[in-house]
Every structure is written in structure tokens, then in C-alpha cells.
């Protein structure tokens, strides 16, 4: 059944295509893939999954040059997190990811939801998070905007990790003019698991059910993945509604429920609804399994009335999981979720036709070849050119300065990049879980 535009949605025009950050080459690829013009809902799906944040369309050629295999590598790139083998049947899962643009617009929530997302990437592998780390960069602190970003990011990182109950054990903070108004916020999570408990986000089993677990879906974070792929500008402050809003107490419940579901053997697959929300989690799980999926957005629990399928698919509301399970296990799954005060609502099924199909109360609003949707984004091989200014500065030698060594040392120790970071790490709980051997600061 072909897709039809949802009632009231805008027609797809060249201007609308540009609004969705798709270039002419990409739109031509979409037309060739579908054999027709996309609906607005389909255009939104492509915009999210073909953003740099989800597709790595500019960075993939470089990332492919890294070594990713070895005797102790249990899981390399392509999953929610990497996993390495440890002795005695144990394994360690870890992931590091940036949340730069959201933090530049709304530092507290941007940093907090960066922590939340990285936690979910690790515990969806079946690992219990045991440590958080971070790497932060800001502009000089003599500018008020940079002080605002610095304070908000540090508080967001601390509040979320502290509330979930995972210690923040290490990190680094640096300051340089190049980060004025454009901070780098990298969060890392480390988790431990028994290797036999490892689970992958791969949809399998035609007829198996897709369940939405955790928080309800709202309008926050729509187009967050696309926003994260754009260049920051003076207009970026208007993108504040595209920054997600986190709830660490819901995250703690979701963590415990997810780990219990995984160790119980009741589920086939699980994936975080992170960047691009329901769109990426469902499409990527289907592509990994070589199957199709059919979702009815009218069944997704929402926080606000009247949400369209476009909004439901692209919402990046936090603390949500997509689970794949056999139909006869739904009751047992819902019982575990209810124990943790969470819901698990069936919203779709695995199909055998390879189509990524979205319905809204039965009406088809999107129908896209699933494997091509995930793998068909054009890949760009950009030329790397070093600027003449950089080459000139590298060739120059700093001038010799006659200075009093004691005075120079005092100035160095007063420099933000060298001075104590106690103000930062004392906002992080480093002893929760009672396993910390060496705390930040020595």
C-alpha cells in the first residue's frame, strides 16, 4: 500500500527540502529510491537518518581507517557501544559521544541529556554502568557567555549522573578562544557485563512485536539529530525547543528494567530512542536484521494531544526504549516494566518485506525500502586542506621573554588550563556505588 500525505501536512517543495537540510543530490537519491515524491513524514525520516549525526556521511571515510578488530574485541562499531573481553567471562562496554550543539544553546539540558544518552547506549548492551567520564572545552572565562556555558554544562553533567547513581570518576576541562560560544561536551560511560548477557540491537523474527518502553513521547527534541549536524550561527538560539529535556529519575527506572529484561531472556533486541528517536531505533534495528518493520504512531504513548506522525517519529524525548519481543512474552515484559513503574506498549511488528512502513491509526504515511533508508545516504569524500595561517604559525618560533621564574610559575598556576579543577569535580558524585579506589583530584 503506497504512502499518503497525513491530513494537513505541508506539500514537499524545494524550499521544504532545503529546510530539512537535504541537498539536491540527496533529494534525487530519495526520488530514485521511492520512484515518487516523498510525503512530508518520509522527508522528515530521511532528514534525520541522513544527517551527519546519524549517517556519518562526511566522517565515515576517515573513521573506516581506524583499526576496529582484535582478539579481545567482542563488539566493534555498528552497535550502541563497543565491547571488549575481560578475563573470567566478563566484558567491558564503553561509549563516548558529543553533545556540543545542544549544550551551546541550552547548556544544562544539553549536557544532562548527553549523559543520559551515553548511559542508555551502554546499558542497552546488557552492561551495568559503573563510571562516567567527560571531556569539556570552553572559551575564555572572562566572557560572560562562556562562564554561563561552563557553569551550566558542569551542573548538567553532575546533576544527571548524581541522580542516576553512576559515579563520575574522571575528565578534563580546557579553555581556548576557538571555543567561544561553541563548547565541546563529550560524555563517556563504562559498564560491566557477563559476556553471555550481551545483547545486540538487531530485529529478528517475522511477527515479533515492537514495544515502546519508558517515558511518553513529547514535542521536545524534534529534529535534534539534524540540528546537531548543522553549523552553529546567531540563529541557533532559536533552536532551543530542539534540545531534549532529561529526567534522571526515570532513567534510573529504565536502567533497572532494561537490565532485568535482558538478563531474563524475554526480549530479542533493545535500542535506545536517542538521536532521531523512534525513527532511528526502529529503522536501524530492522536494517541490522535484514527485515522490515511496521509501526503505528497512533499507538505510541504521547504527552501532548494531537501529535502528528511526523512529530512522533522525530521526537527525541528522553528515557525511552524500543524493544523487540515474541508476542507470547508481552505479558511477562509488561509485568517487569510495571514493577519499575514503567509502561511497555506494543506499537508495531517485524515484517518480511524489507519495508520501513509507518501507519497512523491504520493509514500508511510512510513506506520506504528499509535497507536503502539506512545505508543509501550518499557518502562524501571531502578534501582536507590546511590553511596558510596554520602553516605559518606552526613554522614560527615563540619569542624569548625574560621573566622571573617564580612570577612565571605563579602566572602559569593561575591559568585556567593549569589551575585546579576542584570546582568542577566536586560537583560530581565520585563515590556512589562504593567501589571508587581513586577519586578525582587524587
Amino acid at each position: 500500500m503506497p504512502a499518503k500525505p497525513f491530513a494537513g501536512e505541508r506539500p514537499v517543495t524545494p524550499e521544504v527540502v532545503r529546510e530539512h537540510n537535504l541537498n539536491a543530490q540527496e533529494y534525487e537519491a530519495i526520488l530514485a529510491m521511492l520512484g515518487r515524491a516523498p510525503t512530508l513524514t518520509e522527508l522528515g525520516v530521511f532528514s534525520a537518518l541522513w544527517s551527519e549525526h546519524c549517517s556519518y556521511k562526511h566522517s565515515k571515510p576517515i573513521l573506516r581507517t581506524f583499526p576496529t578488530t582484535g582478539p579481545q574485541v567482542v563488539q566493534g562499531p555498528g552497535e550502541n557501544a563497543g565491547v571488549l573481553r575481560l578475563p573470567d567471562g566478563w566484558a567491558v562496554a564503553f561509549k563516548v559521544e558529543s553533545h556540543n550543539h545542544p549544550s551551546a544553546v541550552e547548556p544544562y539540558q544539553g549536557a544532562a541529556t548527553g549523559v543520559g544518552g551515553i548511559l542508555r547506549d551502554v546499558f542497552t548492551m546488557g552492561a551495568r554502568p559503573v563510571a562516567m567520564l567527560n571531556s569539556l572545552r570552553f572559551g575564555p572565562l572572562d566572557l560572560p557567555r562562556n562562564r554561563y556555558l561552563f557553569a551550566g554544562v558542569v551542573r548538567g553533567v553532575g546533576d544527571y549522573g548524581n541522580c542516576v547513581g553512576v559515579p563520575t570518576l574522571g575528565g578534563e576541562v580546557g579553555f581556548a578562544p576557538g571555543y567561544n560560544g561553541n563548547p565541546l561536551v563529550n560524555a563517556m560511560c563504562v559498564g560491566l557485563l557477563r559476556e553471555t548477557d550481551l545483547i545486540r540491537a538487531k530485529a529478528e523474527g517475522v511477527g515479533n512485536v515492537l514495544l515502546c518502553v519508558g517515558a511518553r513521547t513529547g514535542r521536545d527534541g524534534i529534529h535534534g539529530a539534524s540540528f546537531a549536524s548543522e553549523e552553529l550561527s546567531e540563529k541557533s538560539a532559536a533552536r532551543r525547543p530542539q534540545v531534549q529535556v532529561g529526567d534522571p529519575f526515570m532513567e534510573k527506572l529504565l536502567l533497572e528494567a532494561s537490565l532485568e529484561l535482558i538478563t531474563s531472556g524475554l526480549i530479542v533486541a533493545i535500542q535506545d530512542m536517542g538521536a532521531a528517536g523512534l525513527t532511528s531505533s526502529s529503522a536501524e534495528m530492522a536494517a541490522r536484521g535484514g527485515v522490515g518493520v511496521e509501526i503505528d504512531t497512533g499507538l505510541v504513548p504521547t504527552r501532548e494531544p494531537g501529535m502528528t506522525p511526523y512529530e512522533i517519529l522525530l521526537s527525541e524525548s528522553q528515557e525511552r526504549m524500543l524493544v523487540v519481543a515474541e508476542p507470547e512474552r508481552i505479558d511477562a515484559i509488561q509485568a517487569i516494566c510495571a514493577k519499575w513503574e514503567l509502561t511497555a506498549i506494543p506499537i508495531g511488528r517485524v515484517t518480511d518485506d524489507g519495508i520501513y512502513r509507518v501507519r497512523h491509526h491504520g493509514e500508511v504515511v510512510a513506506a520506504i525500502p528499509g535497507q536503502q533508508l539506512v545505508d543509501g545516504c550518499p557518502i562524501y569524500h571531502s578534501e582536507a586542506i590546511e590553511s596558510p595561517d596554520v602553516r605559518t604559525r606552526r613554522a614560527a618560533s615563540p619569542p624569548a621573554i625574560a621573566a622571573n621564574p617564580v612570577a612565571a610559575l605563579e602566572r602559569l598556576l593561575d591559568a585556567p588550563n593549569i589551575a585546579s579543577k576542584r570546582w568542577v569535580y566536586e560537583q560530581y558524585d565520585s563515590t556512589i556505588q562504593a567501589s571508587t579506589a581513586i577519586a578525582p583530584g587524587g
Side-chain angles (χ1 to χ4, degrees), residues 216-251:
R216 289 177 172 267
T217 298
R219 288 190 169 98
D220 55 313
I222 294 174
H223 278 307
S226 301
F227 170 48
S229 306
E230 296 177 7
E231 183 176 348
L232 280 177
S233 69
E234 293 179 356
K235 298 179 180 178
S236 296
R239 310 296 293 271
R240 187 183 298 263
Q242 292 172 353
V243 177
Q244 309 91 335
V245 178
D247 180 352
F249 301 103
M250 174 71 79
E251 178 100 345

Side-chain angles (χ1 to χ4, degrees), residues 384-404:
I385 302 175
E386 190 174 59
S387 73
D389 179 58
V390 171
R391 290 197 296 270
T392 300
R393 282 188 283 126
R394 180 179 292 112
S397 298
I401 300 176
N404 181 306

Side-chain angles (χ1 to χ4, degrees), residues 311-329:
E311 293 172 324
I312 293 169
L313 286 171
L314 299 179
S315 167
E316 294 184 11
S317 293
Q318 299 290 283
E319 294 85 39
R320 299 178 301 156
M321 291 287 179
L322 188 65
V323 167
V324 180
E326 296 171 357
E328 60 270 20
R329 295 187 168 181

Side-chain angles (χ1 to χ4, degrees), residues 208-213 294-301 321-323 325-327 329-331 333-334 343-349:
N208 281 347
V209 177
L210 279 66
L211 298 101
C212 184
V213 176
E294 182 171 294
I295 296 166
D296 193 324
T297 51
L299 300 175
V300 176
M321 291 287 179
L322 188 65
V323 167
E326 296 171 357
R329 295 187 168 181
I330 291 176
D331 289 345
I333 291 169
Q334 290 177 328
T343 59
I345 307 299
I347 62 166
R349 62 189 179 91

Side-chain angles (χ1 to χ4, degrees), residues 120-393:
R120 292 192 296 278
D121 284 337
V122 166
F123 69 71
T124 53
M125 302 298 293
R128 177 170 291 278
V130 295
M132 297 293 302
L133 302 95
N134 57 75
S135 175
L136 312 175
R137 294 290 183 274
F138 303 93
L141 295 179
D142 53 354
L143 295 180
R145 178 67 183 177
N146 292 333
R147 291 198 299 272
Y148 164 72
L149 294 172
F150 178 42
V153 166
V154 170
R155 191 161 58 89
V157 169
D159 284 359
Y160 203 99
N162 296 351
C163 292
V164 174
V166 178
T168 299
L169 296 183
E172 58 168 7
V173 185
F175 306 91
Y179 303 110
N180 274 333
N182 187 13
L184 297 188
V185 179
N186 295 287
M188 180 177 181
C189 180
V190 179
L192 292 175
L193 70 156
R194 302 296 298 182
E195 191 174 336
T196 53
D197 289 336
L198 175 65
I199 188 169
R200 293 176 171 86
K202 180 180 178 181
E204 295 178 303
V206 174
N208 281 347
V209 177
L210 279 66
L211 298 101
C212 184
V213 176
R216 289 177 172 267
T217 298
R219 288 190 169 98
D220 55 313
I222 294 174
H223 278 307
S226 301
F227 170 48
S229 306
E230 296 177 7
E231 183 176 348
L232 280 177
S233 69
E234 293 179 356
K235 298 179 180 178
S236 296
R239 310 296 293 271
R240 187 183 298 263
Q242 292 172 353
V243 177
Q244 309 91 335
V245 178
D247 180 352
F249 301 103
M250 174 71 79
E251 178 100 345
K252 173 62 174 174
L253 298 175
L254 191 61
L255 186 161
E256 299 299 342
S258 297
L259 291 179
E260 186 169 346
L261 289 172
I262 292 167
T263 56
S264 70
L266 290 173
I267 62 177
V268 174
I270 182 171
Q271 178 151 333
D272 168 38
M273 292 193 214
L278 178 56
T279 293
S280 68
S281 57
S282 54
E284 290 174 1
M285 280 206 293
R288 290 190 191 107
V291 295
V293 292
E294 182 171 294
I295 296 166
D296 193 324
T297 51
L299 300 175
V300 176
T302 58
R303 292 201 302 261
E304 305 171 48
M307 290 186 67
T308 66
Y310 179 100
E311 293 172 324
I312 293 169
L313 286 171
L314 299 179
S315 167
E316 294 184 11
S317 293
Q318 299 290 283
E319 294 85 39
R320 299 178 301 156
M321 291 287 179
L322 188 65
V323 167
V324 180
E326 296 171 357
E328 60 270 20
R329 295 187 168 181
I330 291 176
D331 289 345
I333 291 169
Q334 290 177 328
I336 288 176
C337 289
K339 184 178 90 172
W340 295 103
E341 301 180 5
L342 301 173
T343 59
I345 307 299
I347 62 166
R349 62 189 179 91
V350 177
T351 64
D352 61 0
D353 60 4
I355 299 297
Y356 181 76
R357 185 178 292 105
V358 180
R359 297 178 182 270
H360 193 73
H361 297 301
E363 181 179 340
V364 178
V365 295
I368 306 170
Q371 202 72 47
Q372 289 177 271
L373 170 62
V374 174
D375 298 332
C377 178
I379 301 299
Y380 301 94
H381 298 263
S382 303
E383 185 178 6
I385 302 175
E386 190 174 59
S387 73
D389 179 58
V390 171
R391 290 197 296 270
T392 300
R393 282 188 283 126

Side-chain angles (χ1 to χ4, degrees), residues 60-67:
K60 190 174 285 186
I62 299 170
L63 296 175
R64 283 174 173 164
T65 66
F66 292 168

